[in-house]
Amino acid sequence: MKYLVFGSLNIDKVYSLKNLPEKGETLSCEKYELHVGGKGLNQAISLSKSGVQVYMAGCVGKDGKMLTDFLSASGVDTEFVKVSDGFTGHAVIEVDKDGQNQMILFKGANHEITKEDCDAVLENFKKGDLMVLQYETSNVEYMINKAHEKGIKIALNPSPYVEEIINLPLNKVDFLILNESEGMSISKKNTVDEAVNELKRICPDSSIIMTLGADGAIYADNKIYVKVPAFKVNAVDTTGAGDTFTGYFLNDFLTNADPKQALIKASAASAIVVGKYGAAETIPENAEVEKFLSENK
């Protein structure tokens, strides 16, 4: 089995200020940082660090070399990352002394992915392989339909949630991995149990994996329903926790076919991430996750 993440690659530009600017106000920032980001990049890093060979497909501008360099250094194959003449997707993030923030997101090269690009990438994958998708790039619907035609397994993380996601061919997805808020938005239900049942109706052949923050995580399909509690940790930054969960869950589940164990492993990896500041840079190696599990039985 080959693992492919077809998704977003972003540069996060973080400006630290004493206070967030008011309308028309100009402020000097105290610190400026560049970070790698994008849900696609994070999920590829998570899969790689969980112990599998993973291919990244997507699009960056000529200013995106730091992203492909980071992926390569993390063991991810970047053969299928296209370089365009435009600008890499990026976020401008302003953070004040109390940790409050405001953000501007530029889609950039993430939305320059064409149907022809999708075809060219998927020619290299076959029935039984896995493709992981989010909703931060163009032509997600086409990717789902094309991969389904080829018999490629599809894991969709429908994030960030927008109303158009409901129109995607969700019944063709093998793994729907989402958080509680996304689950209720897609299902139009008000409780977790109702949301899971509705998602099972919408995606009758899919495995539904829903993260519940401090309340743990759920796996549900036509035969199995499993819920595990979250690990109790001092959370300082939840950025990237869901992407880390996605990568670790998929590897463990596809390797061992044990949903409960996969939920526990993924929850442990996420617990490590929320205890540190940062996102992709904090995703743990498998050995660190195993050590955490041995210490938190």
Side-chain angles (χ1 to χ4, degrees):
M1 173 187 286
K2 292 166 71 175
Y3 291 75
L4 167 68
V5 176
F6 210 142
S8 54
L9 296 143
N10 287 339
I11 298 171
D12 292 341
K13 304 180 179 185
V14 184
Y15 300 82
S16 298
L17 310 98
K18 287 184 179 179
N19 303 291
L20 297 177
E22 301 289 340
K23 183 177 180 180
E25 184 179 15
T26 300
L27 297 176
S28 294
C29 74
E30 300 182 330
K31 184 170 65 172
Y32 168 62
E33 298 172 286
L34 277 178
H35 296 283
V36 299
K39 296 186 71 62
L41 179 144
N42 291 341
Q43 291 171 13
I45 298 294
S46 179
L47 273 166
S48 179
K49 292 197 172 182
S50 73
V52 296
Q53 174 62 60
V54 57
Y55 298 85
M56 181 82 219
C59 186
V60 297
K62 292 181 179 178
D63 57 340
K65 188 174 184 297
M66 67 177 288
L67 301 180
T68 53
D69 285 350
F70 187 89
L71 285 162
S72 296
S74 302
V76 177
D77 190 309
T78 61
E79 174 186 355
F80 305 116
V81 176
K82 178 176 109 174
V83 180
S84 80
D85 291 328
F87 292 100
T88 300
H90 62 261
V92 175
I93 306 166
E94 300 168 346
V95 184
D96 71 11
K97 64 181 186 302
D98 298 318
Q100 297 299 309
N101 68 77
Q102 55 193 30
M103 182 186 305
I104 299 171
L105 181 63
F106 175 65
K107 296 176 180 178
N110 291 314
H111 277 248
E112 294 180 26
I113 297 170
T114 66
K115 292 177 180 178
E116 291 73 22
D117 294 331
C118 300
D119 290 340
V121 171
L122 291 177
E123 282 180 2
N124 299 276
F125 297 86
K126 64 182 189 302
K127 182 176 181 179
D129 291 338
L130 174 75
M131 178 175 68
V132 184
L133 299 171
Q134 319 82 40
Y135 205 68
E136 290 186 326
T137 64
S138 51
N139 281 306
V140 172
E141 181 175 359
Y142 183 82
M143 294 180 203
I144 292 173
N145 286 325
K146 192 70 176 182
H148 184 72
E149 284 177 17
K150 290 174 66 72
I152 296 170
K153 295 177 182 177
I154 303 163
L156 174 67
N157 173 216
S159 180
Y161 175 77
V162 291
E163 195 67 29
E164 303 93 81
I165 285 175
I166 297 172
N167 298 322
L168 292 176
L170 299 177
N171 61 314
K172 296 180 179 179
V173 169
D174 297 275
F175 300 94
L176 187 66
I177 305 176
L178 69 180
N179 63 30
E180 181 177 353
S181 174
E182 292 156 355
M184 291 206 234
S185 294
I186 293 173
S187 66
K188 307 298 184 187
K189 300 297 182 181
N190 297 317
T191 70
V192 169
D193 287 341
E194 288 176 339
V196 170
N197 287 332
E198 178 63 11
L199 291 171
K200 285 166 62 181
R201 187 192 69 77
I202 295 171
C203 313
D205 299 318
S206 304
S207 297
I208 310 299
I209 301 97
M210 186 182 294
T211 57
L212 310 173
D215 291 328
I218 290 170
Y219 172 94
D221 61 25
N222 289 328
K223 298 179 180 178
I224 301 170
Y225 178 96
V226 178
K227 182 177 181 181
V228 302
F231 290 96
K232 294 181 179 179
V233 294
N234 179 29
V236 297
D237 184 357
T238 60
T239 310
D243 297 329
T244 302
F245 181 98
T246 294
Y248 266 89
F249 175 86
L250 288 169
N251 180 17
D252 198 273
F253 181 82
L254 291 170
T255 301
N256 301 311
D258 183 339
K260 182 176 181 179
Q261 179 55 43
L263 288 177
I264 293 171
K265 184 78 171 280
S267 297
S270 298
I272 292 170
V273 169
V274 302
K276 303 175 182 179
Y277 289 102
E281 302 92 340
T282 67
I283 296 174
E285 299 281 354
N286 186 61
E288 185 179 354
V289 178
E290 292 293 345
K291 183 174 182 291
F292 179 93
L293 285 168
S294 70
E295 294 171 350
N296 293 272
K297 291 182 177 178

